[in-house]
Amino acid sequence: KAPEGDNVTVVGDWNDWQPQANPLKDPNDDGVWETKIRIPEKGEYQYQFLINGEKWIPDPNAPMQVEDGFGGTNSVLDI
């Protein structure tokens, strides 16, 4: 949920941390952003959300998180 967002993307290992690769949409204009992504293969992937091209945040609903090496936290998706 990012009601302050004009654009939100999910950025992670699977897309080489490229901000433009996986944009999210807010179809109901309710601040809840969503997308569907095809992950290339089974494994463990780290990711964050990028709000308005500036604010990086981990997924608050992710059960696993790790340090990102820059003083922040990455969420972990295990497929």
Side-chain angles (χ1 to χ4, degrees):
K1 189 168 188 176
E4 75 279 14
D6 291 322
N7 63 68
V8 178
T9 62
V10 62
V11 186
D13 292 350
W14 66 87
N15 62 20
D16 293 323
W17 298 93
Q18 296 299 313
Q20 67 280 8
N22 296 117
L24 282 70
K25 296 179 181 177
D26 182 5
N28 302 325
D29 201 29
D30 60 358
V32 177
W33 296 79
E34 57 191 55
T35 193
K36 290 183 181 181
I37 300 170
R38 185 174 300 258
I39 302 295
E41 59 187 57
K42 291 183 180 184
E44 186 175 283
Y45 297 93
Q46 294 185 26
Y47 68 100
Q48 288 192 36
F49 294 110
L50 181 59
I51 302 172
N52 297 333
E54 297 177 358
K55 183 178 179 183
W56 293 81
I57 63 165
D59 183 346
N61 298 312
M64 293 189 297
Q65 299 197 359
V66 296
E67 292 181 16
D68 68 1
F70 299 99
T73 304
N74 286 339
S75 300
V76 178
L77 176 63
D78 189 16
I79 300 175

